[in-house]
Amino acid sequence: MDLPSRADARTDAAVAALGAALAGRVPAHVPGTPEHTALSATTNLTVPQRPALVAAPRSPQEVADVVRLAGEHGVPVAVQGTGHGASALLDGALLVSTVELDHLAVLPARGTAHVGAGLRWSRVVEAAAPYGLMPVCGSAPSVGAVGYLTGGGHGPLARTLGVSSDRVRAFDVVTGDGVLRRATPTDDPDLFWGLRGGRGALGVVVAVDLALVDQPTLYGGSLWSADVEGTVQAWARWAPTVPPQASTSLGVMRLPALPGVPEPLAGRTTVTVRFGWTGDADEGAAVLAPLRRVAAPLVDTVGVIPCTAIGSIHADPDGALPVHDSHLLLEDLGPEAVERLLELVGPASSCVQNVVEVRHLGGAASRQPAVPDAMPSRAATWSVFTVGVATPATAAAVVDDAGRIAAGLAPWTRPGGLPNFTAGHGTAWAERVYPAVTRARLAEVSRRYDPDGVLLGGRAFRTR
C-alpha cells in the first residue's frame, strides 16, 4: 500500500486544522459532500476542481476571517463565483465560494450599482433596466459580474462603451493578509489599479461599485449565413469602417443538430455576424445594410431590443460543457490574413472547432481610462477565440486543431492576450497575457498586501 508523503500529511493536517477553526463560524465543506461538489463545480467539465475544502462565507467580514485563518494555517486560497474561467485543480487549497455574497443595490440618482461578488450579469441587468440604465456587461449574462470585471471585459458593446472594468468606481476586497479594504482611485490606489485587469491576483473581491450607462434599448442581434467565404471577406473589409456607435464580431460556426439549435444552422458550417449599435436604430440599420446584402441571412435577429436582451446578440450557451478554448490576438486582418483564415477554418477546411470567433476590438476599448489600470493589450484590434467540445473521444483532435489554427495565423499574431479569454494559470499564463512591466508591478503589490503568498492568483506573478 502506498503511504502518503510527509508533504501530503502536512497538507492534510493543515486543512483539517483550518476546517476545525472555521467550524461554527463560516460554512465549510469537505470533499464528498453535496455542498462541496456544487460549490466547486465549473462550467468547463474538462477542468474538474478538487479543493481540499470549500468555504461559503455569508458576509465580507466572514471572507476576511476565512482568508486570515487560511493564512495562519498555511493553506492557499482560491476564489470562485459562478465557475466560469476555472483552470486549476486546486489540490490542497481552500476554495472561497462567493455565491452567498448576493447583495445588489441600484442607485438611479447616482447612476451606479453596488454589486456583490455572487451575482451574475443577468441580475444586474434586470435590476438596472427599470431605470433605463444598463451595466457595461459581457456577452453571456450567466457569467459572474465581479469575476468578469477583474479580467477587464470586452463585451458586445466594447468598441462603443469601452472595457467593462473602466466603469468600476470602487472595490470592496479582502487582501491576502486577511484585511477587508475599500480600494478606490484615492484609497489603496495600487490595489485599485491591479484589481482592474489583474484577474484576481491581489485579493478576493466581495463587491464593486459600478457606474451604469443610460441605455434602455439598443439595436442589436446577429445575422447567420451559409455564405461563409463571402461574408467573412465582406465583414473584414466592413468592420474597420463602422462608426463608434457599433461593435461587431464574427463567428464561423459548426453547430450540432441538438435541441435549441435552429434547423437552418444545424449540422453545417455557417457564419454569424454579431452587431450591437447604441445610437438611432435606423442609422444602425443603414450601417449594417451592406452585410445584410452580402450575407443573404438564413436567420436575422437584428432589431431594437431591450437592454435585458443583450445576451441574445451572442446567444452564448448556458450550462456546463466539456470544452477546449484558445485565444490569440492579431495585428492585421487584411486580405491575405482573411484568405488564410478561411483556409484554416472555412467550409473546405479540416476544422473541428464548434466556434471560431473574430472580434473587432479598438474604439473605446483601446483608450486608457482616466485612472490607469492593469488591463493588457488595449492596442489590439482583432481577437480570435476558438471553442470545441472536448469529449474523451474528441479532445485530442480539438486541441491539435486549435494548435493548427494558431500556427497558421502566426504571421499576423501579436504578443499578449485578453485575461478573460486566455485559458491557463500560473506563471506561464501570466507571461503570455501581461507585459513584463505589468507583471512586475502586480508582483510588488501582491507582496505588499499578501506577504505570505496566501492567494493562489497572486503566485502567478511572484516568480522570485
Side-chain angles (χ1 to χ4, degrees):
M1 180 178 68
D2 292 333
L3 297 176
S5 69
R6 290 184 179 180
D8 290 339
R10 285 195 298 269
T11 297
D12 292 344
V15 170
L18 174 59
L22 292 173
R25 301 176 62 172
V26 179
H29 310 288
V30 298
T33 61
E35 295 85 357
H36 183 282
T37 300
L39 295 175
S40 62
T42 73
T43 59
N44 186 348
L45 298 180
T46 69
V47 189
Q49 294 183 143
R50 299 190 296 264
L53 197 64
V54 178
R58 298 155 295 192
S59 69
Q61 186 54 55
E62 285 193 355
V63 175
D65 293 341
V66 167
V67 174
R68 175 178 55 80
L69 288 168
E72 291 176 359
H73 288 83
V75 177
V77 172
V79 61
Q80 174 168 291
T82 61
H84 292 83
S87 59
L89 299 180
L90 308 184
D91 292 6
L94 166 72
L95 179 64
V96 174
S97 169
T98 63
V99 294
E100 296 292 335
L101 305 177
D102 58 357
H103 177 70
L104 176 61
V106 176
L107 305 174
R110 298 183 182 179
T112 64
H114 182 73
V115 182
L119 293 174
R120 300 172 188 267
W121 276 125
S122 56
R123 283 276 308 278
V124 187
V125 172
E126 290 163 3
Y131 306 102
L133 301 172
M134 183 186 75
V136 180
C137 60
S139 60
S142 62
V143 168
V146 167
Y148 177 90
L149 289 167
T150 64
H154 285 72
L157 301 176
R159 292 193 69 258
T160 307
L161 300 178
V163 173
S164 298
S165 60
D166 294 349
R167 305 281 169 166
V168 176
R169 297 295 174 259
F171 292 92
D172 294 331
V173 58
V174 174
T175 45
D177 54 7
V179 177
L180 176 61
R181 307 174 189 271
R182 185 164 175 83
T184 72
T186 55
D187 298 321
D188 290 307
D190 286 337
L191 269 182
F192 188 71
W193 167 82
L195 290 169
R196 293 171 299 140
R199 198 74 173 110
L202 302 183
V204 179
V205 177
V206 296
V208 300
D209 286 355
L210 186 65
L212 307 173
V213 295
D214 184 4
Q215 193 74 46
T217 64
L218 59 144
Y219 182 75
S222 56
L223 309 176
W224 294 76
S225 175
D227 181 6
V228 176
E229 293 190 0
T231 302
V232 171
Q233 291 166 346
W235 180 84
R237 293 191 300 269
W238 167 81
T241 72
V242 299
Q245 295 95 329
S247 297
T248 184
S249 64
L250 173 142
V252 178
M253 315 292 283
R254 289 171 168 84
L255 301 181
L258 293 174
V261 177
E263 188 275 332
L265 311 179
R268 63 193 299 191
T269 302
T270 59
V271 61
T272 179
V273 173
R274 286 83 171 253
F275 184 70
W277 176 268
T278 59
D280 176 79
D282 290 339
E283 293 177 4
V287 169
L288 186 61
L291 265 293
R292 276 199 166 113
R293 288 193 293 269
V294 170
L298 297 167
V299 176
D300 183 345
T301 70
V302 183
V304 177
I305 58 174
C307 65
T308 51
I310 190 169
S312 66
I313 295 177
H314 281 244
D316 292 336
D318 287 335
L321 290 169
V323 298
H324 175 269
D325 56 66
S326 68
H327 163 66
L328 54 87
L329 300 172
L330 299 182
E331 291 278 10
D332 174 54
L333 195 63
E336 188 177 356
V338 170
E339 181 179 355
R340 184 64 176 132
L341 177 67
L342 287 167
E343 290 173 354
L344 292 165
V345 307
S349 73
S350 62
C351 181
V352 298
Q353 307 299 318
N354 297 99
V355 180
V356 178
E357 180 195 67
V358 183
R359 290 199 186 201
H360 185 214
L361 308 177
S366 67
R367 294 197 289 269
Q368 291 291 333
V371 179
D373 64 3
M375 183 66 195
S377 297
R378 283 185 180 266
T381 51
W382 305 98
S383 163
V384 178
F385 185 63
T386 73
V387 182
V389 174
T391 66
T394 64
V398 170
V399 173
D400 289 347
D401 187 57
R404 177 188 64 86
I405 295 168
L409 293 175
W412 300 276
T413 301
R414 60 173 289 150
L418 304 179
N420 285 343
F421 285 86
T422 308
H425 60 95
T427 302
W429 174 84
E431 290 178 346
R432 180 184 171 195
V433 173
Y434 298 90
V437 65
T438 304
R439 297 198 308 273
R441 186 175 176 188
L442 285 169
E444 187 278 322
V445 179
S446 172
R447 291 188 182 94
R448 193 189 323 164
Y449 288 95
D450 183 11
D452 296 324
V454 174
L455 300 175
L456 284 176
R459 295 185 182 184
F461 301 92
R462 296 165 63 151
T463 55
R464 56 183 174 80

